């Protein structure tokens, strides 16, 4: 590809950019690239009325990115700033209580809705799950074939199809996504004022010796989001021997103090989301010719780091800034993207591994990102 990849002039054809995945990474990269008046189309496997996921923490680097995208004011309408992080141990013992700076609680669907408002409706196509690429003689992808048989031609392809990325499996078949021993349950409950006083705090019970941690915080809607991290080697999983979520919650709740147990037992099993925590080493590159991976597709991060969503948002603005500079080829552009992002991502991978080790050795004190 010899044409410039910066904003097209009247004598240049703007490259057609196909984004595979319409989650937070895919929608944020669309919003960032459309500000450069580039030709971008998004293909998302789920239907429009998706309700997956629960919520997460946006840290200051994510808020700064939303500011660069011009979305910080809208984000403040849907997020709740958390002020303190308080931990409790067994028998209700108070551990650490420290101020928080730049930590915001937000529902996943609120962020998706915010980003979808930036998308022209004829530029996003739902119910389109990626299956494989068609390649030209030089080895570049010329079209993405969807599971329903739809063939989408493009000049550049940006894969934002999540932690279990099918595109990553095609481009990097030897890359290993490793399931860890520490898994997570997440649930959102209505207002629990009569049983729980959280104010603007993130409150957590820590018993890493038993391999059970549970955290709670309020969302902007005043709902309570809880997450429970557990060591599956000690407690198994809800899937073991047809155990079921209800039985698993009843058993794991015995390790919690009354206030946390009451929240857990107020939850409906069918409303709980079970997250199999995984990690992956840094890829040697995030692209293959004209196909680029971003977000969890490029760099799955452990939930302990609280950087999964923040890093996906950052990917989008870094990529847009590089597009604006202009490169002679997609390979040069995507190589520059990797050089710009790899050190930070590697730092988060190492941080996640260290926090995972701390959790396993009964020393864990980290903040969570919940899915």
């Amino acid at each position: 590809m010899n044409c410039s990849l910066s904003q097209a002039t009247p004598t240049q054809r703007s490259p057609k950019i196909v984004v595979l995945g319409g989650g937070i990474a895919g929608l944020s990269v669309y919003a960032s690239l459309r500000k450069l008046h580039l030709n971008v189309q998004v293909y998302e496997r789920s239907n429009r009325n998706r309700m997956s996921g629960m919520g997460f923490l946006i840290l200051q680097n994510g808020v700064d990115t939303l500011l660069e995208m011009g979305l910080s004011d809208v984000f403040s309408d849907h997020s709740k700033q958390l002020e303190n992080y308080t931990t409790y141990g067994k028998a209700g013992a108070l551990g650490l209580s420290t101020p928080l700076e730049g930590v915001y609680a937000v529902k996943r669907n609120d962020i998706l809705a915010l980003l979808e408002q930036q998308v022209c409706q004829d530029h996003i196509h739902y119910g389109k799950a990626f299956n494989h690429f068609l390649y030209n003689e030089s080895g570049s992808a010329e079209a993405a074939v969807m599971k329903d048989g739809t063939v989408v031609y493009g000049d550049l392809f940006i894969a934002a199809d999540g932690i279990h990325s099918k595109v990553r499996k095609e481009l990097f078949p030897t890359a290993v996504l490793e399931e860890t021993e520490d898994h997570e349950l997440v649930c959102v409950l209505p207002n629990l004022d009569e049983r729980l006083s959280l104010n603007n705090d993130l409150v957590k019970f820590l018993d890493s010796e038993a391999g059970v941690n549970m955290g709670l915080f309020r969302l902007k809607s005043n709902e309570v989001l809880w997450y429970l991290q557990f060591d599956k080697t000690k407690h198994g999983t809800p899937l073991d021997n047809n155990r079921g979520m209800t039985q698993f919650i009843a058993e794991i709740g015995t390790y919690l103090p009354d206030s946390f147990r009451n929240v857990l037992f107020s939850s409906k099993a069918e409303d709980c989301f079970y997250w199999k925590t995984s990690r992956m080493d840094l890829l040697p590159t995030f692209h293959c010719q004209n196909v680029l991976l971003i977000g969890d597709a490029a760099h799955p991060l452990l939930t302990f780091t609280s950087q999964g969503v923040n890093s996906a948002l950052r990917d989008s603005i870094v990529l847009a800034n590089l597009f604006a500079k202009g490169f002679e080829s997609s390979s040069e552009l995507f190589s520059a993207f990797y050089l710009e992002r790899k050190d930070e991502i590697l730092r988060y991978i190492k941080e996640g591994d260290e926090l995972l080790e701390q959790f396993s050795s009964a020393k864990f004190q980290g903040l969570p990102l919940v899915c």
Side-chain angles (χ1 to χ4, degrees):
M1 183 180 299
N2 294 319
C3 63
S4 171
L5 297 177
S6 60
Q7 298 181 49
T9 68
T11 59
Q12 292 177 315
R13 181 181 71 86
S14 177
K16 181 181 179 181
I17 302 170
V18 176
V19 177
L20 301 169
I24 291 170
L27 294 179
S28 61
V29 81
Y30 170 94
S32 299
L33 294 180
R34 281 294 295 173
K35 291 184 182 299
L36 301 177
H37 309 291
L38 293 170
N39 178 8
V40 189
Q41 297 283 322
V42 178
Y43 293 81
E44 163 59 28
R45 64 174 174 260
S46 66
N47 60 40
R48 183 173 176 81
N49 297 317
R50 49 195 165 152
M51 290 295 289
S52 61
M54 297 291 178
F56 40 74
L57 302 178
I58 296 287
L59 305 187
Q60 192 60 56
N61 58 335
V63 176
D64 292 343
T65 302
L66 291 168
L67 178 62
E68 291 184 62
M69 296 171 64
L71 300 177
S72 60
D73 289 342
V74 183
F75 172 73
S76 66
D77 294 336
H78 298 285
S79 62
K80 182 180 183 69
Q81 185 169 8
L82 301 181
E83 297 176 354
N84 298 287
Y85 174 46
T86 303
T87 64
Y88 293 87
K90 288 184 289 187
L94 182 64
L96 299 176
S97 185
T98 57
L100 292 174
E101 294 185 8
V103 178
Y104 298 81
V106 64
K107 292 185 75 170
R108 182 176 186 271
N109 288 327
D110 285 344
I111 286 287
L112 284 173
L114 182 158
L115 292 169
E116 282 180 338
Q117 292 172 8
Q118 313 305 309
V119 181
C120 297
Q121 289 309 299
D122 57 348
H123 291 174
I124 184 165
H125 312 272
Y126 294 98
K128 301 296 179 183
F130 171 81
N131 192 62
H132 65 277
F133 285 115
L134 298 177
Y135 298 92
N136 60 27
E137 294 180 355
S138 68
S140 293
E142 62 179 13
V145 181
M146 306 300 168
K147 287 186 177 179
D148 66 358
T150 302
V151 179
V152 180
Y153 289 89
D155 299 303
L156 304 176
F157 297 87
I158 299 175
D161 55 337
I163 190 170
H164 299 291
S165 170
K166 191 173 179 64
V167 176
R168 183 179 68 236
K169 292 176 182 177
E170 181 168 331
L171 300 186
F172 301 98
T174 61
V176 177
L177 187 64
E178 306 169 54
E179 182 181 313
T180 75
E181 296 176 347
D182 301 296
H183 291 192
E184 191 169 282
L185 297 182
V186 189
C187 191
V188 174
L189 291 174
N191 189 341
L192 297 172
D193 276 337
E194 71 278 10
R195 282 162 285 176
L196 189 69
S197 178
L198 287 174
N199 299 317
N200 296 324
D201 295 345
L202 167 60
V203 178
K204 189 166 188 179
F205 167 74
L206 296 162
D207 187 354
S208 293
E209 184 177 350
V212 177
N213 295 335
M214 184 175 178
L216 311 162
F217 55 84
R218 287 196 186 279
L219 297 160
K220 184 78 170 185
S221 60
N222 216 30
E223 295 168 293
V224 172
L225 188 150
W226 65 256
Y227 59 91
L228 188 143
Q229 298 156 336
F230 60 93
D231 184 338
K232 73 169 187 176
T233 65
K234 298 178 179 180
H235 304 286
T237 78
L239 305 180
D240 295 338
N241 302 319
N242 298 317
R243 188 182 197 179
M245 185 66 74
T246 300
Q247 181 180 343
F248 183 82
I249 287 175
E251 293 173 0
I252 202 122
T254 61
Y255 293 90
L256 303 172
D258 289 345
S259 57
F260 288 83
R261 185 187 305 119
N262 290 339
V263 173
L264 187 68
F265 289 174
S266 297
S267 309
K268 295 180 180 179
E270 61 269 24
D271 293 336
C272 297
F273 184 86
Y274 173 34
W275 182 253
K276 297 179 181 180
T277 308
S278 302
R279 68 167 305 282
M280 192 179 77
D281 290 333
L282 182 69
L283 292 171
T285 179
F286 293 150
H287 80 283
C288 183
Q289 297 210 38
N290 62 333
V291 181
L292 176 70
L293 303 172
I294 65 168
D296 285 343
H299 42 72
L301 298 174
L302 284 170
T303 58
F304 295 132
T305 66
S306 302
Q307 287 294 351
V309 173
N310 296 283
S311 294
L313 292 170
R314 196 66 206 161
D315 282 352
S316 70
I317 204 72
V318 168
L319 186 61
N321 289 340
L322 290 171
F323 263 97
K325 290 181 179 179
F327 286 81
E328 289 301 314
S329 70
S330 61
S331 181
E332 288 183 10
L333 170 66
F334 293 161
S335 293
F337 175 79
Y338 183 77
L339 290 175
E340 185 83 13
R341 298 294 293 136
K342 71 180 183 70
D343 289 344
E344 181 176 291
I345 297 303
L346 183 59
R347 184 170 73 250
Y348 293 148
I349 291 173
K350 291 180 177 178
E351 178 183 309
D353 290 342
E354 291 170 359
L355 291 172
L356 181 62
E357 175 61 27
Q358 290 176 25
F359 177 62
S360 300
S361 61
K363 297 178 181 178
F364 180 67
Q365 294 288 334
L367 291 178
L369 165 73
V370 294
C371 58

